[in-house]
Amino acid sequence: MKKGSILGALILLSTLLSGCWDRHELNDLAIAVGLGFDRNGDQFKVTTQIVNPNEVASKKASGYSTPITTLTATATSTLEAVRKLTTSAPRKIFLSHMRIIVIGEDLARSGISDVMDGISRDHEMRSDFYLIVAKGTTAENVLKILTPIERIPANKMFKTLETSEKSWAPTVSIQLDRFLSNLSNPTRQSVLTGIVINGDVKKGKTKENLGRTNPHAVLAYSGLALFKEDKLLDWMNDQESKGYNYIMGNVRSTIGHVTCPQGGTIAMEVVRSNTKVKGKVVSGKPQIDISIHIEENISEVQCKIDLLAPGAIHELELINEQNLRRIVLSSINKAKKNKADIFGFGDAIESASPKLWTQIKADWDTHFADLQIVIHPDVQIRRLGTTNNSIIER
């Protein structure tokens, strides 16, 4: 009787085990690592970058084909276009390993809310990929450029964005959730990093681009795309983009140069950065105070200066503070020009005075353009490097 009860319980439990009802065999999938969206009249053109497993998985490539294949389709909605790709792909397009999504500049200027809606609703797509904008070109062209060193271009774009954000500062990695959060906030705008194609676009799409020490075409990140609501309004150059990251507290390390007191230049490496943004109400008007503290090392001296002289380091710190103020102001002025609060200053004002915020919230764009902003730069030079004075000075 006891054995019969156990057997009955096992049979009952087995009916509750549904198994992998939605499984996909690997041999039936085309792994997409990059997606591109462009405007084609009143329709969307979708380009997908698919990995060629025979060329990537093997230790020695066969040399028969390229590491990736790109397919395009056009339809009224983005997901229709993705499904339409199956008419030219022998396998089902699998989007769960997406690394990068590229948005063409024309589409970005006309508005990307429809594209973002389709992406956010798709249950097959994770949200850990990065969004970028093709600057001066189409997403299709960007995804078709073959890249050396990193054989899968989408992986190259993903890793380059992370590396440049950590070591250079004018770029910023934005994932889907963060971008959608900014889009849903009526008083806070967003930015995305831009990518350009340097070189011959046509030759960059050929396998010949992989076999040269100096490739025909190279993908490189360049500045930030400034959005207002869901439309691209303007581009920020490297200095303005770096200023944005200083305000947002995103700078981990970067390097720049300033002019020496007696002429020439001196390069400074930022090794630590900290930013505090505080909202205030002064004489009934909103005000933002930005305190930026950075620590630097002297990395290269190309001028005649005695770094060991009394007051020399302090003078350099003051010069660097003026330079930092100029970089931050350039970013603020670009945002004010477009009446786009990309920094979230409205949130700081709301925290400081909810009462005032309720009065100015509806017309925040106008108030932001006239907003009083006070910058408090603080630069400290920590190290001179492995030598004291430069070879020029010695």
Side-chain angles (χ1 to χ4, degrees), residues 344-356:
F345 288 162
D347 296 337
I349 298 300
E350 183 180 14
S351 298
S353 178
K355 182 178 179 180
L356 176 63

Side-chain angles (χ1 to χ4, degrees), residues 111-246:
I112 60 174
S113 58
D114 293 338
V115 173
M116 293 297 102
D117 184 81
I119 294 174
S120 62
R121 291 179 186 272
D122 191 350
H123 68 279
E124 287 189 354
M125 295 183 67
R126 300 183 301 189
S127 59
D128 56 350
F129 51 82
Y130 293 139
L131 297 165
I132 59 176
V133 178
K135 185 176 181 179
T137 185
T138 63
E140 180 182 6
N141 283 336
V142 169
L143 288 175
K144 287 186 175 180
I145 298 297
L146 297 177
T147 57
I149 304 178
E150 185 63 54
R151 301 185 66 201
I152 301 177
N155 285 345
K156 183 267 182 193
M157 288 184 273
F158 184 92
K159 294 178 181 178
T160 301
L161 184 56
E162 288 190 329
T163 303
S164 61
E165 182 184 37
K166 295 175 183 177
S167 304
W168 180 228
T171 57
V172 58
S173 56
I174 303 289
Q175 293 183 341
L176 179 63
D177 290 343
R178 180 177 169 187
F179 188 70
L180 292 178
S181 176
N182 290 339
L183 284 182
S184 63
N185 188 337
T187 60
R188 181 167 186 167
Q189 311 307 326
S190 188
V191 299
L192 291 177
T193 300
I195 191 167
V196 297
I197 304 173
N198 294 326
D200 191 320
V201 177
K202 290 184 179 180
K203 291 184 178 180
K205 299 176 183 178
T206 64
K207 196 173 181 181
E208 184 184 352
N209 204 49
L210 299 176
R212 291 169 52 93
T213 56
N214 182 25
H216 291 295
V218 176
L219 295 174
Y221 288 110
S222 176
L224 296 180
L226 190 153
F227 281 79
K228 188 170 184 180
E229 296 178 354
D230 71 327
K231 294 181 175 64
L232 168 62
L233 283 188
D234 206 348
W235 287 98
M236 305 174 76
N237 59 32
D238 280 353
Q239 177 170 286
E240 294 162 348
S241 302
K242 186 177 288 190
Y244 167 82
N245 280 320
Y246 271 123

Side-chain angles (χ1 to χ4, degrees), residues 6 20 25 51 55 95 104 162 182 189 196 232 247 258 360 362:
I6 295 174
C20 299
E25 296 296 335
V51 177
E55 292 297 312
L95 303 175
E162 288 190 329
N182 290 339
Q189 311 307 326
V196 297
L232 168 62
I247 295 172
V258 295
I360 64 176

